Amino acid sequence: MPDISDQPRRVLIIEPNLRNPSGHYGEFVRAVGIRSEGVSIEVLAHPEADTMLRSMQGVHPSTLEPRVGDFLAEWRNIFNAVRDKTPFLVLTSDGRHAAAVSLAAACTGQMPDRATLYFHWIPKGRQDAILHALATHARQHARAVVPTEAIAEALRNMGWRRVECVPYPMFGPTEAPVPEPFARVLVAGAARLNKGLDLISALAEQWAKEDRSIPLFVQVSKKHAAKHGHREEGLINALLDSGYRGLVTDEAAPDRFEYIARFKGALVLAPYERERFAHAVSGVVLDALLHGAPVIATKGTWPGMLVERFGAGVTLEERTSLSLARAIDTVLSEWPKYSANACEASKVLSREHDPVNLLKAIL
């Protein structure tokens, strides 16, 4: 592991949306904390996250104010960090945060050279474009960190001078995974429409008609579905009503231990939409490969590129339930090969996505 312990430093992570350990907010912070030897990681999050943060290795909740989980509080925290020249990272950034950094620089006279904004996606939409255009101080002095070269190129074209591509921070297993016998087909993370919920629901109905019994694990949440639209809620109901006898569902996210345990012997389904995931990193797919689980992903997406790079599964040309079923049968027919390839991928990805690389960039 690269050494960052020679000069102890303090880094402030700002993420008011962080409330609980599920989702990418908590996993991002957890991964960075594990590799934070010699660096003090303070997390300025929603007050509900304090208990969780105290249990995480290498991090602790910040005592700074304000602690309100809304965007106005986030702007004030960014202002204070720029004013005080505190090295800080906005964990999930968009044009609003770039504008906040620029406004703070203009008001305080401090150049935001210790500000780091992590952009997970290519900026899109008129509002984002306007805010980036107005964020002159941020584009000239702050650091933009991104997980893919496509996002880096987009920001450089918008005038960002300090752009660094750092693989998304993920902490792999302490011991390299070994090939396991097949145990289940797994939809890890919450089932969503843009992640192929319609295909999963149709697959369950098809397998029910064929009287198959392959274990199919899916995390469903009607609360999530109601938030994201009635069509998604209808698909979850169709999945639950499919009558497929191999279906295992969870209404809530499993804890971290159970989440990781499910990758053992799993074939992970990631038939994501091309438009949404062409350049977007999938933490679920990374987790799968880091733990030696083969993946079925959509060709032309970032997850699909990763699967093809290592031969650790199959990619779908067409996003249909029939194509998905065929891909599952293909992987299962040669399970030892795909399982071994996924385990080899874990060794490479553990190095590339080591969170210490992000800490080095911030410092």
Side-chain angles (χ1 to χ4, degrees), residues 22-63:
S22 65
H24 81 270
Y25 304 120
E27 287 307 308
F28 193 113
V29 171
R30 186 189 72 87
V32 173
I34 288 174
R35 288 292 194 247
S36 64
E37 182 178 353
V39 181
S40 175
I41 305 292
E42 296 181 25
V43 182
L44 190 51
H46 193 279
E48 292 178 9
D50 282 6
T51 300
M52 173 195 70
L53 290 171
R54 292 190 185 98
S55 69
M56 283 186 175
Q57 178 181 336
V59 303
H60 57 90
S62 174
T63 58

CSV table of all heavy atoms in Angstrom, one decimal, residues 22-63:
chain,number,residue,atom,x,y,z
A,22,SER,N,-26.0,2.4,4.5
A,22,SER,CA,-26.4,1.8,3.2
A,22,SER,C,-26.2,2.9,2.1
A,22,SER,O,-26.3,4.1,2.4
A,22,SER,CB,-27.8,1.4,3.2
A,22,SER,OG,-28.7,2.4,3.4
A,23,GLY,N,-25.9,2.5,0.9
A,23,GLY,CA,-25.8,3.4,-0.2
A,23,GLY,C,-24.3,3.8,-0.4
A,23,GLY,O,-23.4,3.5,0.4
A,24,HIS,N,-24.1,4.6,-1.4
A,24,HIS,CA,-22.7,4.9,-1.8
A,24,HIS,C,-22.1,5.9,-0.8
A,24,HIS,O,-20.9,6.0,-0.7
A,24,HIS,CB,-22.6,5.4,-3.2
A,24,HIS,CG,-23.0,6.8,-3.4
A,24,HIS,ND1,-24.2,7.3,-3.7
A,24,HIS,CD2,-22.2,8.0,-3.4
A,24,HIS,CE1,-24.3,8.6,-3.9
A,24,HIS,NE2,-23.0,9.0,-3.7
A,25,TYR,N,-22.9,6.8,-0.2
A,25,TYR,CA,-22.3,7.7,0.8
A,25,TYR,C,-21.5,7.0,1.9
A,25,TYR,O,-20.3,7.3,2.1
A,25,TYR,CB,-23.4,8.6,1.4
A,25,TYR,CG,-24.3,9.3,0.5
A,25,TYR,CD1,-25.7,9.1,0.5
A,25,TYR,CD2,-23.8,10.3,-0.4
A,25,TYR,CE1,-26.5,9.8,-0.4
A,25,TYR,CE2,-24.6,11.0,-1.3
A,25,TYR,CZ,-26.0,10.7,-1.3
A,25,TYR,OH,-26.8,11.4,-2.1
A,26,GLY,N,-22.2,6.1,2.6
A,26,GLY,CA,-21.6,5.4,3.7
A,26,GLY,C,-20.4,4.5,3.2
A,26,GLY,O,-19.4,4.5,3.9
A,27,GLU,N,-20.5,3.9,2.1
A,27,GLU,CA,-19.5,3.0,1.6
A,27,GLU,C,-18.2,3.8,1.2
A,27,GLU,O,-17.1,3.3,1.4
A,27,GLU,CB,-20.0,2.1,0.4
A,27,GLU,CG,-20.9,1.0,0.9
A,27,GLU,CD,-20.3,0.2,2.0
A,27,GLU,OE1,-19.2,-0.3,1.8
A,27,GLU,OE2,-21.0,0.0,3.0
A,28,PHE,N,-18.4,4.9,0.6
A,28,PHE,CA,-17.3,5.8,0.2
A,28,PHE,C,-16.5,6.2,1.4
A,28,PHE,O,-15.3,6.1,1.5
A,28,PHE,CB,-17.9,7.0,-0.5
A,28,PHE,CG,-16.9,7.9,-1.2
A,28,PHE,CD1,-16.9,8.0,-2.6
A,28,PHE,CD2,-15.9,8.6,-0.5
A,28,PHE,CE1,-16.0,8.8,-3.3
A,28,PHE,CE2,-15.0,9.4,-1.2
A,28,PHE,CZ,-15.1,9.5,-2.6
A,29,VAL,N,-17.2,6.7,2.5
A,29,VAL,CA,-16.5,7.1,3.7
A,29,VAL,C,-15.9,5.9,4.4
A,29,VAL,O,-14.7,6.1,4.9
A,29,VAL,CB,-17.5,7.8,4.6
A,29,VAL,CG1,-16.9,8.1,6.0
A,29,VAL,CG2,-18.0,9.1,4.0
A,30,ARG,N,-16.5,4.8,4.4
A,30,ARG,CA,-16.0,3.6,5.1
A,30,ARG,C,-14.7,3.2,4.4
A,30,ARG,O,-13.7,2.9,5.0
A,30,ARG,CB,-17.0,2.5,5.0
A,30,ARG,CG,-16.5,1.2,5.8
A,30,ARG,CD,-17.4,0.1,5.5
A,30,ARG,NE,-17.2,-0.4,4.1
A,30,ARG,CZ,-16.3,-1.4,3.8
A,30,ARG,NH1,-15.6,-1.9,4.7
A,30,ARG,NH2,-16.2,-1.8,2.6
A,31,ALA,N,-14.7,3.2,3.1
A,31,ALA,CA,-13.5,2.8,2.3
A,31,ALA,C,-12.3,3.8,2.6
A,31,ALA,O,-11.2,3.3,2.8
A,31,ALA,CB,-13.8,2.8,0.8
A,32,VAL,N,-12.6,5.1,2.5
A,32,VAL,CA,-11.5,6.0,2.8
A,32,VAL,C,-11.0,5.9,4.2
A,32,VAL,O,-9.8,6.0,4.4
A,32,VAL,CB,-12.0,7.5,2.5
A,32,VAL,CG1,-10.9,8.5,2.9
A,32,VAL,CG2,-12.3,7.6,1.0
A,33,GLY,N,-11.8,5.7,5.2
A,33,GLY,CA,-11.4,5.6,6.6
A,33,GLY,C,-10.5,4.4,6.8
A,33,GLY,O,-9.5,4.5,7.6
A,34,ILE,N,-10.8,3.3,6.1
A,34,ILE,CA,-9.9,2.1,6.3
A,34,ILE,C,-8.5,2.4,5.9
A,34,ILE,O,-7.6,1.8,6.5
A,34,ILE,CB,-10.6,0.9,5.5
A,34,ILE,CG1,-11.8,0.5,6.2
A,34,ILE,CG2,-9.6,-0.2,5.4
A,34,ILE,CD1,-12.6,-0.6,5.5
A,35,ARG,N,-8.3,3.2,4.9
A,35,ARG,CA,-6.9,3.5,4.4
A,35,ARG,C,-6.4,4.8,4.9
A,35,ARG,O,-5.5,5.4,4.3
A,35,ARG,CB,-7.0,3.5,2.9
A,35,ARG,CG,-7.2,2.2,2.2
A,35,ARG,CD,-5.9,1.3,2.5
A,35,ARG,NE,-5.9,0.2,1.6
A,35,ARG,CZ,-6.0,-1.1,2.1
A,35,ARG,NH1,-6.1,-1.3,3.4
A,35,ARG,NH2,-5.9,-2.1,1.3
A,36,SER,N,-6.9,5.4,6.0
A,36,SER,CA,-6.5,6.7,6.5
A,36,SER,C,-5.4,6.8,7.5
A,36,SER,O,-5.3,7.8,8.2
A,36,SER,CB,-7.8,7.4,7.1
A,36,SER,OG,-8.2,6.7,8.3
A,37,GLU,N,-4.5,5.8,7.5
A,37,GLU,CA,-3.4,5.8,8.5
A,37,GLU,C,-2.6,7.1,8.4
A,37,GLU,O,-2.1,7.5,7.3
A,37,GLU,CB,-2.5,4.6,8.2
A,37,GLU,CG,-1.4,4.5,9.2
A,37,GLU,CD,-0.5,3.3,9.0
A,37,GLU,OE1,-0.9,2.5,8.1
A,37,GLU,OE2,0.5,3.2,9.6
A,38,GLY,N,-2.5,7.8,9.5
A,38,GLY,CA,-1.7,9.1,9.5
A,38,GLY,C,-2.5,10.3,9.1
A,38,GLY,O,-2.0,11.4,9.1
A,39,VAL,N,-3.8,10.1,8.7
A,39,VAL,CA,-4.6,11.2,8.2
A,39,VAL,C,-5.9,11.2,9.1
A,39,VAL,O,-6.5,10.2,9.3
A,39,VAL,CB,-5.0,11.0,6.8
A,39,VAL,CG1,-5.9,12.2,6.3
A,39,VAL,CG2,-3.8,10.9,5.9
A,40,SER,N,-6.2,12.4,9.6
A,40,SER,CA,-7.4,12.6,10.4
A,40,SER,C,-8.5,12.9,9.5
A,40,SER,O,-8.6,13.9,8.8
A,40,SER,CB,-7.2,13.7,11.4
A,40,SER,OG,-8.4,14.0,12.1
A,41,ILE,N,-9.5,12.0,9.5
A,41,ILE,CA,-10.7,12.1,8.6
A,41,ILE,C,-11.9,12.6,9.4
A,41,ILE,O,-12.4,11.8,10.3
A,41,ILE,CB,-11.0,10.8,7.9
A,41,ILE,CG1,-9.8,10.3,7.1
A,41,ILE,CG2,-12.2,11.0,7.0
A,41,ILE,CD1,-9.4,11.1,5.9
A,42,GLU,N,-12.3,13.8,9.2
A,42,GLU,CA,-13.5,14.3,9.9
A,42,GLU,C,-14.6,14.3,8.9
A,42,GLU,O,-14.4,14.8,7.7
A,42,GLU,CB,-13.3,15.7,10.4
A,42,GLU,CG,-12.2,15.8,11.5
A,42,GLU,CD,-12.1,17.2,12.1
A,42,GLU,OE1,-13.1,18.0,11.9
A,42,GLU,OE2,-11.0,17.6,12.6
A,43,VAL,N,-15.8,13.9,9.3
A,43,VAL,CA,-16.9,13.8,8.4
A,43,VAL,C,-18.0,14.7,8.8
A,43,VAL,O,-18.5,14.6,10.0
A,43,VAL,CB,-17.5,12.4,8.2
A,43,VAL,CG1,-18.6,12.3,7.2
A,43,VAL,CG2,-16.3,11.4,7.8
A,44,LEU,N,-18.4,15.7,8.0
A,44,LEU,CA,-19.4,16.6,8.4
A,44,LEU,C,-20.7,16.2,7.6
A,44,LEU,O,-20.9,16.4,6.4
A,44,LEU,CB,-19.1,18.1,7.9
A,44,LEU,CG,-19.9,19.2,8.3
A,44,LEU,CD1,-20.2,19.2,9.8
A,44,LEU,CD2,-19.3,20.5,7.9
A,45,ALA,N,-21.5,15.4,8.4
A,45,ALA,CA,-22.7,14.8,7.8
A,45,ALA,C,-23.9,15.1,8.6
A,45,ALA,O,-23.9,16.0,9.5
A,45,ALA,CB,-22.5,13.3,7.8
A,46,HIS,N,-25.0,14.5,8.2
A,46,HIS,CA,-26.3,14.7,9.0
A,46,HIS,C,-26.1,14.2,10.4
A,46,HIS,O,-25.4,13.2,10.6
A,46,HIS,CB,-27.4,14.0,8.3
A,46,HIS,CG,-28.8,14.4,8.8
A,46,HIS,ND1,-29.3,13.8,10.0
A,46,HIS,CD2,-29.7,15.2,8.3
A,46,HIS,CE1,-30.5,14.3,10.1
A,46,HIS,NE2,-30.8,15.2,9.2
A,47,PRO,N,-26.6,14.8,11.4
A,47,PRO,CA,-26.5,14.3,12.8
A,47,PRO,C,-26.9,12.9,13.0
A,47,PRO,O,-26.3,12.2,13.9
A,47,PRO,CB,-27.4,15.3,13.6
A,47,PRO,CG,-27.4,16.5,12.8
A,47,PRO,CD,-27.4,16.1,11.4
A,48,GLU,N,-27.8,12.4,12.2
A,48,GLU,CA,-28.2,11.0,12.4
A,48,GLU,C,-27.1,10.0,12.1
A,48,GLU,O,-27.1,8.8,12.4
A,48,GLU,CB,-29.4,10.7,11.4
A,48,GLU,CG,-30.7,11.4,11.8
A,48,GLU,CD,-31.8,11.1,10.8
A,48,GLU,OE1,-31.6,10.2,9.9
A,48,GLU,OE2,-32.9,11.7,10.9
A,49,ALA,N,-26.0,10.5,11.4
A,49,ALA,CA,-24.9,9.6,11.0
A,49,ALA,C,-23.8,9.5,12.1
A,49,ALA,O,-22.9,8.7,12.0
A,49,ALA,CB,-24.3,10.1,9.7
A,50,ASP,N,-23.9,10.3,13.2
A,50,ASP,CA,-22.8,10.3,14.2
A,50,ASP,C,-22.5,9.0,14.8
A,50,ASP,O,-21.4,8.6,14.9
A,50,ASP,CB,-23.2,11.3,15.3
A,50,ASP,CG,-23.0,12.8,14.8
A,50,ASP,OD1,-22.7,13.0,13.6
A,50,ASP,OD2,-23.1,13.7,15.7
A,51,THR,N,-23.5,8.2,15.2
A,51,THR,CA,-23.3,6.9,15.8
A,51,THR,C,-22.6,6.0,14.8
A,51,THR,O,-21.6,5.3,15.2
A,51,THR,CB,-24.6,6.3,16.3
A,51,THR,OG1,-25.2,7.2,17.2
A,51,THR,CG2,-24.4,5.0,16.9
A,52,MET,N,-23.0,6.0,13.6
A,52,MET,CA,-22.4,5.1,12.6
A,52,MET,C,-21.0,5.5,12.4
A,52,MET,O,-20.1,4.7,12.3
A,52,MET,CB,-23.2,5.2,11.3
A,52,MET,CG,-22.6,4.5,10.1
A,52,MET,SD,-23.3,5.1,8.5
A,52,MET,CE,-22.6,6.7,8.4
A,53,LEU,N,-20.7,6.8,12.3
A,53,LEU,CA,-19.3,7.3,12.0
A,53,LEU,C,-18.4,6.9,13.1
A,53,LEU,O,-17.2,6.6,12.9
A,53,LEU,CB,-19.3,8.8,11.8
A,53,LEU,CG,-20.0,9.3,10.5
A,53,LEU,CD1,-20.1,10.8,10.5
A,53,LEU,CD2,-19.2,8.8,9.3
A,54,ARG,N,-18.9,7.0,14.4
A,54,ARG,CA,-18.0,6.6,15.5
A,54,ARG,C,-17.6,5.1,15.4
A,54,ARG,O,-16.6,4.7,16.0
A,54,ARG,CB,-18.7,6.9,16.8
A,54,ARG,CG,-18.9,8.4,17.0
A,54,ARG,CD,-19.3,8.7,18.5
A,54,ARG,NE,-19.6,10.1,18.7
A,54,ARG,CZ,-20.8,10.7,18.6
A,54,ARG,NH1,-21.9,9.9,18.3
A,54,ARG,NH2,-21.0,11.9,18.8
A,55,SER,N,-18.4,4.3,14.8
A,55,SER,CA,-18.1,2.9,14.7
A,55,SER,C,-17.2,2.5,13.5
A,55,SER,O,-16.7,1.4,13.4
A,55,SER,CB,-19.4,2.1,14.6
A,55,SER,OG,-20.0,2.3,13.3
A,56,MET,N,-17.0,3.5,12.6
A,56,MET,CA,-16.2,3.3,11.4
A,56,MET,C,-14.7,3.5,11.7
A,56,MET,O,-14.3,4.4,12.4
A,56,MET,CB,-16.6,4.2,10.3
A,56,MET,CG,-17.8,3.8,9.6
A,56,MET,SD,-18.1,4.9,8.1
A,56,MET,CE,-19.6,4.2,7.4
A,57,GLN,N,-13.9,2.6,11.2
A,57,GLN,CA,-12.4,2.7,11.3
A,57,GLN,C,-11.9,4.0,10.6
A,57,GLN,O,-12.2,4.3,9.5
A,57,GLN,CB,-11.7,1.5,10.7
A,57,GLN,CG,-10.2,1.5,10.8
A,57,GLN,CD,-9.6,0.3,10.2
A,57,GLN,OE1,-10.3,-0.8,10.1
A,57,GLN,NE2,-8.4,0.4,9.7
A,58,GLY,N,-11.1,4.8,11.3
A,58,GLY,CA,-10.3,5.9,10.7
A,58,GLY,C,-11.1,7.2,10.5
A,58,GLY,O,-10.5,8.1,10.0
A,59,VAL,N,-12.4,7.2,10.9
A,59,VAL,CA,-13.1,8.5,10.7
A,59,VAL,C,-13.9,8.8,12.0
A,59,VAL,O,-14.0,8.0,12.9
A,59,VAL,CB,-14.2,8.3,9.6
A,59,VAL,CG1,-13.5,7.9,8.3
A,59,VAL,CG2,-15.3,7.4,9.9
A,60,HIS,N,-14.2,10.1,12.1
A,60,HIS,CA,-15.1,10.5,13.3
A,60,HIS,C,-15.9,11.7,12.8
A,60,HIS,O,-15.5,12.4,11.9
A,60,HIS,CB,-14.2,10.9,14.5
A,60,HIS,CG,-13.2,11.9,14.2
A,60,HIS,ND1,-13.4,13.3,14.4
A,60,HIS,CD2,-11.9,11.9,13.8
A,60,HIS,CE1,-12.4,14.0,14.1
A,60,HIS,NE2,-11.4,13.2,13.7
A,61,PRO,N,-17.1,11.9,13.4
A,61,PRO,CA,-17.9,13.0,13.1
A,61,PRO,C,-17.3,14.3,13.4
A,61,PRO,O,-16.7,14.5,14.5
A,61,PRO,CB,-19.2,12.7,13.8
A,61,PRO,CG,-18.8,11.8,15.0
A,61,PRO,CD,-17.7,11.0,14.5
A,62,SER,N,-17.5,15.3,12.5
A,62,SER,CA,-17.0,16.6,12.8
A,62,SER,C,-17.9,17.3,13.8
A,62,SER,O,-19.1,17.1,13.9
A,62,SER,CB,-16.9,17.4,11.5
A,62,SER,OG,-16.5,18.8,11.8
A,63,THR,N,-17.3,18.2,14.6
A,63,THR,CA,-18.0,19.0,15.6
A,63,THR,C,-18.3,20.3,15.0
A,63,THR,O,-18.9,21.2,15.8
A,63,THR,CB,-17.2,19.1,16.9
A,63,THR,OG1,-15.9,19.7,16.6
A,63,THR,CG2,-17.0,17.8,17.6
